[in-house]
Amino acid sequence: MKRIAIDMDEVIANTSISLLKLFNQLYDQDVTEDELKSKNLIQVRPHFRKEIESFYTSETFFRGLDVISDSQTVILELQEQYEIFIATAAMEVPASFKAKYEWLKEHFPSIPDSHIVFCGDKSIIHADYLIDDNVNQLQLFRGKGILYSAPHNRFATGFTRVNNWLDVRALFMNKAVEVM
Amino acid sequence: MKRIAIDMDEVIANTSISLLKLFNQLYDQDVTEDELKSKNLIQVRPHFRKEIESFYTSETFFRGLDVISDSQTVILELQEQYEIFIATAAMEVPASFKAKYEWLKEHFPSIPDSHIVFCGDKSIIHADYLIDDNVNQLQLFRGKGILYSAPHNRFATGFTRVNNWLDVRALFMNKAVEVM
């Protein structure tokens, strides 16, 4: 059974949009999703840098992230034919470990503890595929990298690109197509 | 540069002896290290099962573990010739993530965040060598497994065995010997 490793932030957890919503609400702002297509939130509201950074050191922030559309159903389908690991970088925010773990247990209960990996450098991941929005991590990875589209990687080339989880399903579940 | 992944509990962190000391002190007991050579603490004091198990769900317990002799100096030496990752199973005790991370930052400051991995199943680790006391994990691992001696693995065979960190140094730093 081939093994797929799946990143968490911006691939199954809608981190940047959750941050946007919380920021708008707490600081009475009206930043739109469109504005985040070419800049990140700190670039859009630089005078709120400190406040925005504080979300990333908050345990509760990572516990409340929205789930990315269709990731739950497609991962359940993939598990019938592939071994699925979640591989997420959590080292920059030690407070996020427990919150990320609990978030995964709530939203992806079919992923056992043994298939959750917290790591900083995805060259350590032994899998056939890695679905990730981070080009640097895909370059470090030793298997076949699949780029999950995000505003910050829109100009990146060199990887098979998926725009959403229906693309992931089509890529991996279409038996007529060899992914590699 | 070849890559060595190193387990944490019973390899660089003296988990069972730290547990023993704390248990003796807190519950006024006199269990000896010798008694732990063929049994674990719960087997030696079964009527304290609940109390002993509670240590493993305690964040402070993992923060205060003793460091295994010579592991710090030998790992520093190994880093001159190998890429070193710490790969530890923390998923059973989500409360231990942050404590284990902080423990590593204190006692092994030469290991960058990017080279710390929390995982449950070491088949996911992409490295040339894994030093671990857990035979199951060594069997899952895809590279060359090195068994770090512990009472619970004393009868295990089939892996290169090291009894302490001076053995690890001799194995990896002796240029006349090919480890593989």
Side-chain angles (χ1 to χ4, degrees):
Chain A
M1 200 178 239
K2 292 230 177 187
R3 176 182 286 181
I4 307 173
I6 300 170
D7 177 39
M8 193 166 158
D9 293 309
E10 314 302 345
V11 175
I12 60 171
N14 209 342
T15 316
S16 59
I17 301 301
S18 302
L19 175 66
L20 170 71
K21 284 195 215 164
L22 210 57
F23 172 75
N24 277 342
Q25 190 186 335
L26 269 177
Y27 297 104
D28 199 22
Q29 298 289 304
D30 54 2
V31 180
T32 65
E33 291 190 26
D34 267 356
E35 287 178 272
L36 292 189
K37 285 198 172 142
S38 55
K39 292 177 176 176
N40 67 38
L41 190 54
I42 293 177
Q43 289 166 328
V44 176
R45 289 286 188 277
H47 48 292
F48 278 103
R49 168 180 284 276
K50 220 172 137 186
E51 289 80 0
I52 295 167
E53 284 176 347
S54 75
F55 284 111
Y56 285 108
T57 57
S58 145
E59 184 164 331
T60 49
F61 172 63
F62 287 99
R63 187 64 188 86
L65 299 180
D66 291 342
V67 179
I68 287 196
S69 300
D70 302 316
S71 59
Q72 289 162 308
T73 51
V74 174
I75 284 178
L76 274 176
E77 287 175 49
L78 289 175
Q79 284 185 301
E80 292 170 15
Q81 292 183 38
Y82 297 89
E83 195 185 9
I84 304 295
F85 276 72
I86 304 296
T88 178
M91 300 303 156
E92 312 90 65
V93 191
S96 75
F97 291 137
K98 188 162 172 269
K100 283 188 159 190
Y101 173 82
E102 289 175 352
W103 185 92
L104 282 169
K105 299 317 283 180
E106 177 185 347
H107 297 291
F108 293 86
S110 69
I111 308 280
D113 285 1
S114 59
H115 286 51
I116 296 172
V117 186
F118 291 154
C119 63
D121 172 339
K122 292 186 182 165
S123 73
I124 196 70
I125 297 295
H126 196 297
D128 299 292
Y129 308 100
L130 170 64
I131 306 174
D132 207 304
D133 66 308
N134 185 321
V135 172
N136 294 337
Q137 294 288 10
L138 290 176
Q139 280 164 343
L140 289 168
F141 178 62
R142 312 291 175 95
K144 162 97 173 155
I146 310 288
L147 183 61
Y148 195 96
S149 285
H152 62 82
N153 68 36
R154 65 197 182 285
F155 301 123
T157 55
F159 297 101
T160 299
R161 181 183 284 272
V162 287
N163 291 310
N164 52 54
W165 276 90
L166 303 181
D167 279 2
V168 176
R169 173 196 277 152
L171 186 66
F172 285 98
M173 300 301 278
N174 182 347
K175 306 240 179 65
V177 175
E178 260 297 307
V179 182
M180 285 298 270
Chain B
M1 199 178 241
K2 292 230 177 188
R3 177 181 286 180
I4 307 173
I6 299 170
D7 178 39
M8 194 166 159
D9 293 308
E10 315 301 345
V11 175
I12 61 172
N14 209 341
T15 316
S16 59
I17 301 302
S18 302
L19 175 67
L20 170 71
K21 284 195 217 165
L22 210 58
F23 172 76
N24 278 342
Q25 190 184 334
L26 268 177
Y27 298 103
D28 198 22
Q29 298 290 305
D30 54 2
V31 180
T32 65
E33 291 190 28
D34 267 357
E35 287 179 270
L36 292 189
K37 284 197 172 144
S38 55
K39 292 178 176 177
N40 67 39
L41 190 54
I42 292 177
Q43 289 166 329
V44 177
R45 288 287 187 276
H47 49 293
F48 279 104
R49 169 180 284 276
K50 219 170 138 186
E51 289 80 359
I52 295 167
E53 284 177 345
S54 76
F55 285 111
Y56 285 109
T57 57
S58 144
E59 185 164 332
T60 50
F61 171 64
F62 287 99
R63 187 65 189 83
L65 299 179
D66 291 343
V67 179
I68 287 197
S69 300
D70 302 315
S71 59
Q72 289 162 308
T73 52
V74 174
I75 284 178
L76 273 177
E77 287 175 48
L78 289 175
Q79 284 186 301
E80 291 169 16
Q81 293 182 39
Y82 297 89
E83 194 185 8
I84 304 295
F85 277 73
I86 304 295
T88 177
M91 300 305 156
E92 312 90 65
V93 192
S96 76
F97 290 137
K98 188 162 172 269
K100 283 188 158 190
Y101 173 83
E102 289 175 352
W103 186 92
L104 282 168
K105 299 318 283 181
E106 179 186 346
H107 298 290
F108 294 86
S110 69
I111 308 280
D113 285 1
S114 59
H115 286 50
I116 297 172
V117 186
F118 291 154
C119 62
D121 171 340
K122 291 186 182 165
S123 72
I124 196 70
I125 297 295
H126 195 296
D128 299 291
Y129 308 100
L130 169 65
I131 305 174
D132 207 305
D133 65 307
N134 184 320
V135 172
N136 295 337
Q137 295 287 11
L138 290 175
Q139 280 164 343
L140 289 168
F141 178 61
R142 311 291 175 94
K144 162 96 173 155
I146 310 288
L147 182 63
Y148 195 96
S149 285
H152 61 82
N153 67 34
R154 64 197 181 283
F155 300 123
T157 56
F159 298 101
T160 299
R161 181 183 284 274
V162 288
N163 291 311
N164 52 53
W165 275 90
L166 303 181
D167 279 2
V168 177
R169 174 195 276 152
L171 186 66
F172 285 98
M173 301 300 278
N174 182 347
K175 306 244 179 62
V177 175
E178 260 298 306
V179 181
M180 284 300 269

PDB file of all heavy atoms in Angstrom, chain A residues 162-175:
ATOM      1  N   VAL A 162      -2.478  20.670  -7.034  1.00  0.00           N
ATOM      2  CA  VAL A 162      -3.906  20.426  -6.780  1.00  0.00           C
ATOM      3  C   VAL A 162      -4.490  21.703  -6.191  1.00  0.00           C
ATOM      4  O   VAL A 162      -3.859  22.372  -5.360  1.00  0.00           O
ATOM      5  CB  VAL A 162      -4.138  19.229  -5.823  1.00  0.00           C
ATOM      6  CG1 VAL A 162      -3.844  17.905  -6.515  1.00  0.00           C
ATOM      7  CG2 VAL A 162      -3.306  19.360  -4.546  1.00  0.00           C
ATOM      8  N   ASN A 163      -5.698  22.057  -6.645  1.00  0.00           N
ATOM      9  CA  ASN A 163      -6.306  23.317  -6.194  1.00  0.00           C
ATOM     10  C   ASN A 163      -7.271  23.120  -5.038  1.00  0.00           C
ATOM     11  O   ASN A 163      -7.640  24.087  -4.369  1.00  0.00           O
ATOM     12  CB  ASN A 163      -7.038  23.993  -7.353  1.00  0.00           C
ATOM     13  CG  ASN A 163      -6.054  24.492  -8.389  1.00  0.00           C
ATOM     14  OD1 ASN A 163      -5.084  25.167  -8.064  1.00  0.00           O
ATOM     15  ND2 ASN A 163      -6.284  24.122  -9.646  1.00  0.00           N
ATOM     16  N   ASN A 164      -7.689  21.878  -4.827  1.00  0.00           N
ATOM     17  CA  ASN A 164      -8.651  21.597  -3.752  1.00  0.00           C
ATOM     18  C   ASN A 164      -8.672  20.083  -3.558  1.00  0.00           C
ATOM     19  O   ASN A 164      -7.971  19.342  -4.262  1.00  0.00           O
ATOM     20  CB  ASN A 164     -10.035  22.134  -4.127  1.00  0.00           C
ATOM     21  CG  ASN A 164     -10.452  21.640  -5.500  1.00  0.00           C
ATOM     22  OD1 ASN A 164     -10.459  20.440  -5.761  1.00  0.00           O
ATOM     23  ND2 ASN A 164     -10.754  22.571  -6.405  1.00  0.00           N
ATOM     24  N   TRP A 165      -9.516  19.634  -2.604  1.00  0.00           N
ATOM     25  CA  TRP A 165      -9.522  18.210  -2.296  1.00  0.00           C
ATOM     26  C   TRP A 165     -10.202  17.358  -3.367  1.00  0.00           C
ATOM     27  O   TRP A 165      -9.962  16.152  -3.451  1.00  0.00           O
ATOM     28  CB  TRP A 165     -10.085  17.967  -0.895  1.00  0.00           C
ATOM     29  CG  TRP A 165      -8.969  18.159   0.085  1.00  0.00           C
ATOM     30  CD1 TRP A 165      -8.607  19.311   0.714  1.00  0.00           C
ATOM     31  CD2 TRP A 165      -8.007  17.173   0.459  1.00  0.00           C
ATOM     32  NE1 TRP A 165      -7.479  19.103   1.462  1.00  0.00           N
ATOM     33  CE2 TRP A 165      -7.092  17.800   1.332  1.00  0.00           C
ATOM     34  CE3 TRP A 165      -7.821  15.829   0.152  1.00  0.00           C
ATOM     35  CZ2 TRP A 165      -6.005  17.122   1.895  1.00  0.00           C
ATOM     36  CZ3 TRP A 165      -6.742  15.147   0.718  1.00  0.00           C
ATOM     37  CH2 TRP A 165      -5.851  15.796   1.574  1.00  0.00           C
ATOM     38  N   LEU A 166     -11.027  17.979  -4.195  1.00  0.00           N
ATOM     39  CA  LEU A 166     -11.606  17.210  -5.308  1.00  0.00           C
ATOM     40  C   LEU A 166     -10.516  16.892  -6.333  1.00  0.00           C
ATOM     41  O   LEU A 166     -10.487  15.805  -6.916  1.00  0.00           O
ATOM     42  CB  LEU A 166     -12.777  17.977  -5.940  1.00  0.00           C
ATOM     43  CG  LEU A 166     -13.891  18.325  -4.936  1.00  0.00           C
ATOM     44  CD1 LEU A 166     -15.030  19.060  -5.622  1.00  0.00           C
ATOM     45  CD2 LEU A 166     -14.397  17.061  -4.216  1.00  0.00           C
ATOM     46  N   ASP A 167      -9.565  17.822  -6.484  1.00  0.00           N
ATOM     47  CA  ASP A 167      -8.381  17.536  -7.323  1.00  0.00           C
ATOM     48  C   ASP A 167      -7.556  16.392  -6.737  1.00  0.00           C
ATOM     49  O   ASP A 167      -7.029  15.547  -7.473  1.00  0.00           O
ATOM     50  CB  ASP A 167      -7.463  18.773  -7.397  1.00  0.00           C
ATOM     51  CG  ASP A 167      -7.936  19.807  -8.416  1.00  0.00           C
ATOM     52  OD1 ASP A 167      -8.995  19.595  -9.037  1.00  0.00           O
ATOM     53  OD2 ASP A 167      -7.234  20.834  -8.567  1.00  0.00           O
ATOM     54  N   VAL A 168      -7.424  16.391  -5.414  1.00  0.00           N
ATOM     55  CA  VAL A 168      -6.646  15.313  -4.768  1.00  0.00           C
ATOM     56  C   VAL A 168      -7.324  13.976  -5.041  1.00  0.00           C
ATOM     57  O   VAL A 168      -6.676  12.990  -5.429  1.00  0.00           O
ATOM     58  CB  VAL A 168      -6.511  15.539  -3.237  1.00  0.00           C
ATOM     59  CG1 VAL A 168      -5.779  14.365  -2.590  1.00  0.00           C
ATOM     60  CG2 VAL A 168      -5.785  16.854  -2.945  1.00  0.00           C
ATOM     61  N   ARG A 169      -8.664  13.966  -4.872  1.00  0.00           N
ATOM     62  CA  ARG A 169      -9.398  12.723  -5.129  1.00  0.00           C
ATOM     63  C   ARG A 169      -9.177  12.267  -6.582  1.00  0.00           C
ATOM     64  O   ARG A 169      -8.877  11.097  -6.836  1.00  0.00           O
ATOM     65  CB  ARG A 169     -10.888  12.945  -4.888  1.00  0.00           C
ATOM     66  CG  ARG A 169     -11.736  11.752  -5.308  1.00  0.00           C
ATOM     67  CD  ARG A 169     -13.202  12.129  -5.419  1.00  0.00           C
ATOM     68  NE  ARG A 169     -13.867  12.089  -4.129  1.00  0.00           N
ATOM     69  CZ  ARG A 169     -14.925  12.838  -3.812  1.00  0.00           C
ATOM     70  NH1 ARG A 169     -15.393  13.729  -4.680  1.00  0.00           N
ATOM     71  NH2 ARG A 169     -15.496  12.709  -2.633  1.00  0.00           N
ATOM     72  N   ALA A 170      -9.295  13.193  -7.518  1.00  0.00           N
ATOM     73  CA  ALA A 170      -9.145  12.836  -8.936  1.00  0.00           C
ATOM     74  C   ALA A 170      -7.743  12.294  -9.207  1.00  0.00           C
ATOM     75  O   ALA A 170      -7.563  11.320  -9.947  1.00  0.00           O
ATOM     76  CB  ALA A 170      -9.423  14.057  -9.806  1.00  0.00           C
ATOM     77  N   LEU A 171      -6.761  12.900  -8.566  1.00  0.00           N
ATOM     78  CA  LEU A 171      -5.369  12.499  -8.807  1.00  0.00           C
ATOM     79  C   LEU A 171      -5.084  11.088  -8.287  1.00  0.00           C
ATOM     80  O   LEU A 171      -4.453  10.279  -8.965  1.00  0.00           O
ATOM     81  CB  LEU A 171      -4.431  13.502  -8.104  1.00  0.00           C
ATOM     82  CG  LEU A 171      -2.937  13.342  -8.352  1.00  0.00           C
ATOM     83  CD1 LEU A 171      -2.598  13.631  -9.802  1.00  0.00           C
ATOM     84  CD2 LEU A 171      -2.151  14.291  -7.438  1.00  0.00           C
ATOM     85  N   PHE A 172      -5.563  10.822  -7.080  1.00  0.00           N
ATOM     86  CA  PHE A 172      -5.179   9.555  -6.444  1.00  0.00           C
ATOM     87  C   PHE A 172      -6.199   8.430  -6.640  1.00  0.00           C
ATOM     88  O   PHE A 172      -5.843   7.264  -6.531  1.00  0.00           O
ATOM     89  CB  PHE A 172      -4.941   9.759  -4.946  1.00  0.00           C
ATOM     90  CG  PHE A 172      -3.638  10.446  -4.640  1.00  0.00           C
ATOM     91  CD1 PHE A 172      -3.592  11.808  -4.383  1.00  0.00           C
ATOM     92  CD2 PHE A 172      -2.452   9.729  -4.633  1.00  0.00           C
ATOM     93  CE1 PHE A 172      -2.386  12.450  -4.108  1.00  0.00           C
ATOM     94  CE2 PHE A 172      -1.246  10.360  -4.359  1.00  0.00           C
ATOM     95  CZ  PHE A 172      -1.214  11.716  -4.104  1.00  0.00           C
ATOM     96  N   MET A 173      -7.447   8.787  -6.872  1.00  0.00           N
ATOM     97  CA  MET A 173      -8.471   7.740  -6.916  1.00  0.00           C
ATOM     98  C   MET A 173      -8.835   7.336  -8.342  1.00  0.00           C
ATOM     99  O   MET A 173      -9.594   6.399  -8.543  1.00  0.00           O
ATOM    100  CB  MET A 173      -9.734   8.188  -6.168  1.00  0.00           C
ATOM    101  CG  MET A 173      -9.494   8.506  -4.692  1.00  0.00           C
ATOM    102  SD  MET A 173      -8.827   7.110  -3.716  1.00  0.00           S
ATOM    103  CE  MET A 173     -10.339   6.197  -3.357  1.00  0.00           C
ATOM    104  N   ASN A 174      -8.299   8.039  -9.319  1.00  0.00           N
ATOM    105  CA  ASN A 174      -8.573   7.676 -10.707  1.00  0.00           C
ATOM    106  C   ASN A 174      -7.610   6.566 -11.109  1.00  0.00           C
ATOM    107  O   ASN A 174      -6.444   6.809 -11.377  1.00  0.00           O
ATOM    108  CB  ASN A 174      -8.385   8.905 -11.602  1.00  0.00           C
ATOM    109  CG  ASN A 174      -8.708   8.592 -13.046  1.00  0.00           C
ATOM    110  OD1 ASN A 174      -8.838   7.416 -13.428  1.00  0.00           O
ATOM    111  ND2 ASN A 174      -8.845   9.624 -13.846  1.00  0.00           N
ATOM    112  N   LYS A 175      -8.122   5.383 -11.152  1.00  0.00           N
ATOM    113  CA  LYS A 175      -7.250   4.219 -11.344  1.00  0.00           C
ATOM    114  C   LYS A 175      -6.599   4.198 -12.725  1.00  0.00           C
ATOM    115  O   LYS A 175      -5.652   3.479 -12.964  1.00  0.00           O
ATOM    116  CB  LYS A 175      -8.036   2.934 -11.124  1.00  0.00           C
ATOM    117  CG  LYS A 175      -8.736   2.914  -9.772  1.00  0.00           C
ATOM    118  CD  LYS A 175      -8.263   1.764  -8.927  1.00  0.00           C
ATOM    119  CE  LYS A 175      -8.943   1.753  -7.570  1.00  0.00           C
ATOM    120  NZ  LYS A 175     -10.387   1.512  -7.648  1.00  0.00           N
TER     121      LYS A 175
END
